[in-house]
Amino acid sequence: GPQSPPEYGGPSSCDAREGQGDLPLRRRRHAHSRAQVSLRLGTRRGTAICHLPLPHRRRRRRRHHQPPPAPPRLSSNALPREVSPEVLAFLADLRTKVTIGFVGGSDLKKQQEQLGEDVLSMFDYCFSENGLMAFKDGVKIGQQSVASHLGEDNLQRLINWVLKYLSDITLPCKRGTFIEFRAGMLNVSPVGRNCSQEERDAFEIYDGEHNIRSTMVTAMKAEFADLNLTFSIGGQISFDVFPQGWDKTFALQYVTEFEEIHFFGDKTYEGGNDFEIYEDSRTIGHAVTCPEDTMKICGEIWP
């Protein structure tokens, strides 16, 4: 299945950017041939996982690609907002061969903006907020809340610290929505999620030169060591904060029926938001940089 989406481009673009059903799958007739691929596609970089039961025994294959040593820094233009028709056609065809789904850190509303309002009917499994909101065949099968997990006191402690930290740093620009509260995580954006696309691109370049997000994450790890949190840098302008174990591997609990799980993602380096699931012993990881990479690898595995 296609990758966890790069902010995703047309068929000729290989820029990796910040990076997601329903309807029963037309499955092959052999009981052991059922497969699953999960992907996250759209405006943001994405990830894909696929699950394929093996006929006799569970076996582990070498990863097709090693994770990049550091986050890729990309050109600041050409950031497509929607999935291309070519990718949608590819997914539809792939779904006749394997079960597909996506996993992403964004909430369902943002994933629908990236992939379309009918996203729940495009994939067999849909995992929003790293699987804290889970759907199978369009029906919700799971939901978790970071507020109830941390408690109000710790939640406000986190929020107050972030706001104070950001008030003490100067960036080329700051806009609104520096903290986005989601059901399963806090999304922190130093520049503010209300920034324009041009400001977003400019911050990505500035962050690559000055390590704004990684420096802030290091400080938060020290300040909140007692809360057992995970900090995951993703996309162009933000990073996620959530309880340990609530990364993308959280979604794997819903796909235990499959003997082989393939995951496609671009942020597979340590500290990237694909790292944990890419390295997990339950998956076969594929490090990719664009939708074309994912389509090529899937075509080789499931011709």
Side-chain angles (χ1 to χ4, degrees):
Q3 69 197 40
S4 288
E7 271 200 353
Y8 206 113
S12 62
S13 166
C14 266
D15 281 353
R17 297 245 172 229
E18 178 183 5
Q20 304 260 335
D22 187 356
L23 296 183
L25 170 67
R26 287 175 282 167
R27 306 184 187 280
R28 292 178 178 174
R29 293 292 179 264
H30 302 295
H32 62 267
S33 66
R34 187 172 64 175
Q36 168 166 359
V37 180
S38 330
L39 348 151
R40 212 183 37 177
L41 306 169
T43 326
R44 311 204 156 173
R45 357 185 121 192
T47 59
I49 60 182
C50 30
H51 308 245
L52 174 63
L54 297 176
H56 303 297
R57 61 188 177 88
R58 202 180 284 267
R59 67 183 170 88
R60 186 81 180 147
R61 286 195 258 168
R62 287 185 180 275
R63 297 184 184 281
H64 288 58
H65 304 274
Q66 293 303 316
R73 294 296 165 186
L74 306 147
S75 60
S76 60
N77 52 9
L79 189 60
R81 313 296 199 278
E82 299 176 356
V83 181
S84 69
E86 291 81 2
V87 170
L88 293 177
F90 168 77
L91 291 176
D93 177 69
L94 185 65
R95 199 175 178 196
T96 66
K97 306 171 185 177
V98 295
T99 303
I100 69 172
F102 67 82
V103 55
S106 297
D107 58 25
L108 181 61
K109 180 180 178 181
K110 287 185 175 62
Q111 291 169 338
Q112 288 173 323
E113 292 172 357
Q114 295 168 4
L115 288 167
E117 289 296 324
D118 58 345
V119 63
L120 293 180
S121 64
M122 292 166 55
F123 297 87
D124 300 287
Y125 287 88
C126 300
F127 299 117
S128 304
E129 302 187 45
N130 291 350
L132 299 175
M133 182 82 71
F135 297 85
K136 179 181 180 181
D137 297 331
V139 178
K140 186 189 295 183
I141 56 175
Q143 184 173 2
Q144 293 288 340
S145 167
V146 69
S148 59
H149 180 84
L150 291 178
E152 187 62 30
D153 289 345
N154 284 325
L155 191 59
Q156 290 201 31
R157 177 185 160 203
L158 266 168
I159 291 172
N160 292 343
W161 188 96
V162 168
L163 293 176
K164 184 177 187 308
Y165 182 97
L166 292 178
S167 71
D168 291 335
I169 64 173
T170 300
L171 302 174
C173 73
K174 287 184 182 178
R175 298 299 179 254
T177 312
F178 301 102
I179 303 174
E180 185 174 79
F181 179 80
R182 301 174 183 172
M185 68 183 71
L186 296 179
N187 179 264
V188 179
S189 175
V191 67
R193 298 195 66 87
N194 288 356
C195 62
S196 68
Q197 187 58 52
E198 292 72 22
E199 292 163 342
R200 186 185 187 95
D201 295 337
F203 176 80
E204 181 185 27
I205 296 172
Y206 186 84
D207 182 51
E209 296 170 349
H210 300 279
N211 299 311
I212 302 299
R213 288 183 291 176
S214 60
T215 300
M216 186 173 180
V217 163
T218 298
M220 290 188 74
K221 285 180 177 179
E223 180 69 23
F224 300 104
D226 59 307
L227 297 185
N228 297 317
L229 298 172
T230 295
F231 301 85
S232 182
I233 297 174
Q236 291 181 281
I237 62 170
S238 65
F239 61 89
D240 297 327
V241 183
F242 46 86
Q244 287 183 7
W246 287 24
D247 50 58
K248 288 191 175 79
T249 61
F250 193 89
L252 296 178
Q253 65 184 289
Y254 297 108
V255 290
T256 56
E257 66 196 274
F258 301 99
E259 292 184 14
E260 190 170 287
I261 302 174
H262 292 253
F263 175 86
F264 297 75
D266 64 326
K267 287 192 158 75
T268 54
Y269 49 85
E270 188 168 6
N273 61 6
D274 295 329
F275 176 74
E276 291 84 2
I277 192 169
Y278 176 87
E279 290 291 334
D280 194 280
S281 62
R282 293 167 289 179
T283 68
I284 294 173
H286 305 269
V288 295
T289 61
C290 61
E292 291 70 32
D293 284 353
T294 300
M295 291 189 284
K296 178 178 182 295
I297 296 169
C298 286
E300 294 169 352
I301 301 174
W302 302 285

